Amino acid sequence: MARVQSSFVCSSCGNVTSKWSGRCEACGAWNTIHEEAPATSGPPSKSVTRAKGRNVPLTDLAAAEPPPPRTASGLDELDRVLGGGLVPGSAVLVGGDPGIGKSTLLLQGAAAFGLAGLSVVYVSGEEASAQVRLRAERLGLGTAPVRLAAETNLRDILTTLDGERPDLVVVDSIQTMWADNVESAPGSVAQVRAAAHELTSFAKRRGASVIMVGHVTKDGQLAGPRVVEHMVDTVLYFEGERGHQFRILRSVKNRFGPADEIGVFEMTGGGLAEVANPSALFLSERGTPAPGSVVFAGIEGTRPVLCELQALVAPTPQAQPRRSVVGWDGGRLAMILAVLEARCGIPFAGLDVYLNVAGGMKISEPAADLAVAAALLSAREDVALPPETVVFGEISLSGALRPVTQTENRLKEARKLGFTAAIAPRGGKAGDASGLSLTQMGDLTAFVGDVFGAG
């Protein structure tokens, strides 16, 4: 029998090569390539193509097996991000920076699902059971119906779970699990992939939901191979700034609900508290409108969220002006500055530009273009925008303003929080804009001329 050749995998980026080298060709990291033993193929009679009775017509499957009911935890923000609750047999991966509160969130979630009637097992590979119990008592969850286990051997964990048949399993974290049939250290690419595959297979086979905690790299991406994110049903990121008490749980992938949905929490001494109205929270510290301050009406998943954009434009003594951005894309800021100079004749040469999204919020949608341009112009001209005004819209390279989705929901959220005026692109479906003075514009030049009196 021909010997199957081994492969070499980079533990930093997951790149696979046929031979070992000291430096990874994909990411440039040194001494990160390790040999992986090939997986043995099963007997031909067990292959999927030769299995009998497994291919069922879709119509028969729909009639025989109705969709499994979701289980709501009672934590509305967590249920919202999951798509309405926890689906039986689903695999969920939760990532976040160290110390951001992942273990606290999942311990509170496990206790909530336990109180909702599920049989819950919390497996910790990083802490002892006594340490987890101590944190639970600090959070007021000492009497929650959750069973604890401190183990890293995947074989022992799966054997115990097969006997106990829980409804929900929380694994903290996937990087600490190790399979004794894989010849590599815990946390390596091979171990993370094998552990994630075994836990996902257990979830599908037993109908139990599995929530796995994943570490992130310095770039903010989940550590390990990207194939783990493809295996699971839902990928959640728990993010926030250390200097702020706000925490945002964001759905990046969800097979059972909308992606890009967010849940907002506030870190308190007693754990994570839900924030029912994030817009009011993000705008709570906003004082008297000042130059460079603009309120942006955004959409996160299906939820409209209002937040404050702050800009500062100042002369620079350096030959190369600084462009500093927090909470937004730096490349998109450079594009907005170029459009303002090329289409509106407003230069920013010799000026430092600083842009910040207040409250630790991170914005990714292009609908923030017009609000960013308004904040930059307001800071440059030292002129504050009219109070109680929200701004949103996408800017094209030609200087035209493009309509954005869910205009009606953005305006409804602004009206609910007491705003009386809105500036938006022409062509958006505003719906019932009663109570708001809506100004729709077609291009950036008209916006600059009408709002700032120049252009």
Side-chain angles (χ1 to χ4, degrees):
M1 179 182 295
R3 181 179 181 271
V4 182
Q5 186 177 3
S6 299
S7 59
F8 297 85
V9 180
C10 174
S11 60
S12 177
C13 66
N15 183 50
V16 181
T17 58
S18 59
K19 60 180 181 180
W20 183 89
S21 62
R23 185 171 184 265
C24 177
E25 299 177 354
C27 65
W30 289 89
N31 300 322
T32 58
I33 297 181
H34 306 281
E35 182 179 5
E36 276 194 9
T40 58
S41 59
S45 60
K46 299 297 183 180
S47 61
V48 176
T49 54
R50 298 192 181 188
K52 297 181 180 180
R54 293 188 179 181
N55 49 346
V56 182
L58 184 61
T59 53
D60 295 347
L61 184 65
E65 299 182 10
R70 298 175 183 263
T71 301
S73 65
L75 298 176
D76 295 337
E77 297 299 304
L78 178 60
D79 294 336
R80 171 191 288 270
V81 176
L82 291 173
L86 195 62
V87 177
S90 61
V92 181
L93 181 63
V94 181
D97 293 331
I100 205 68
K102 300 185 299 296
S103 299
T104 301
L105 171 68
L106 292 184
L107 186 57
Q108 291 185 229
F113 281 114
L115 294 174
L118 297 185
S119 173
V120 183
V121 174
Y122 189 101
V123 181
S124 176
E126 301 177 347
E127 300 175 281
S129 299
Q131 294 173 317
V132 179
R133 190 177 296 108
L134 184 64
R135 187 170 72 249
E137 292 176 354
R138 178 175 59 85
L139 299 175
L141 306 174
T143 59
V146 177
R147 287 170 289 175
L148 302 178
E151 183 57 66
T152 58
N153 190 320
L154 188 62
R155 186 186 299 274
D156 295 343
I157 293 173
L158 293 177
T159 302
T160 303
L161 295 179
D162 275 330
E164 295 192 4
R165 299 292 184 90
D167 300 315
L168 171 62
V169 181
V170 179
V171 179
D172 186 9
S173 66
I174 189 64
Q175 273 80 13
T176 60
M177 300 294 115
W178 66 280
D180 51 13
N181 61 332
V182 178
E183 296 180 359
S184 56
S188 63
V189 173
Q191 286 284 2
V192 171
R193 183 169 60 234
H197 177 265
E198 291 294 337
L199 290 171
T200 304
S201 300
F202 169 80
K204 305 302 179 185
R205 184 176 68 253
R206 296 299 187 186
S209 301
V210 176
I211 301 179
M212 297 172 278
V213 177
H215 297 167
V216 297
T217 63
K218 61 182 179 180
D219 299 327
Q221 301 294 324
L222 282 167
R226 294 302 296 267
V227 69
V228 174
E229 299 183 41
H230 294 283
M231 287 181 189
V232 299
D233 302 306
T234 304
V235 178
L236 308 178
Y237 276 85
F238 199 45
E239 52 193 40
E241 298 292 337
R242 290 293 183 91
H244 297 279
Q245 70 270 29
F246 313 131
R247 300 290 186 269
I248 297 176
L249 183 64
R250 186 183 303 273
S251 170
V252 178
K253 169 191 174 182
N254 194 349
R255 290 174 179 159
F256 311 115
D260 292 329
E261 190 69 81
I262 67 167
V264 183
F265 299 86
E266 183 178 4
M267 181 63 76
T268 65
L272 291 165
E274 296 181 89
V275 177
N277 192 344
S279 300
L281 182 64
F282 288 131
L283 298 178
S284 60
E285 300 177 358
R286 183 172 180 258
T288 304
S293 174
V294 175
V295 176
F296 164 62
I299 294 290
E300 296 291 340
T302 61
R303 163 184 283 181
V305 177
L306 270 60
C307 59
E308 181 185 5
L309 299 179
Q310 301 170 344
L312 176 63
V313 178
T316 177
Q318 307 295 331
Q320 185 69 25
R322 294 193 62 183
R323 303 288 187 258
S324 179
V325 186
V326 177
W328 204 51
D329 184 16
R332 203 154 187 93
L333 173 64
M335 186 197 78
I336 298 299
L337 294 174
V339 172
L340 286 172
E341 182 167 358
R343 305 302 179 189
C344 303
I346 302 177
F348 283 83
L351 298 173
D352 285 337
V353 175
Y354 302 90
L355 182 69
N356 175 49
V357 181
M361 184 78 176
K362 294 182 180 179
I363 301 175
S364 58
E365 62 170 334
D369 290 350
L370 188 58
V372 170
L376 294 174
L377 293 171
S378 173
R380 186 184 186 278
E381 303 298 327
D382 198 26
V383 176
L385 261 71
E388 311 303 333
T389 301
V390 296
V391 183
F392 58 91
E394 181 182 355
I395 299 176
S396 65
L397 292 180
S398 64
L401 299 183
R402 300 170 60 89
V404 296
T405 59
Q406 302 192 44
T407 299
E408 185 176 1
N409 291 337
R410 301 173 197 262
L411 297 176
K412 187 183 299 182
E413 180 74 7
R415 185 170 60 247
K416 185 175 68 174
L417 293 178
F419 288 86
T420 57
I423 302 176
R426 184 177 300 144
K429 297 180 180 179
D432 182 15
S434 59
L436 274 177
S437 175
L438 178 61
T439 303
Q440 293 182 307
M441 300 184 179
D443 54 46
L444 190 58
T445 305
F447 169 79
V448 174
D450 291 353
V451 177
F452 297 96

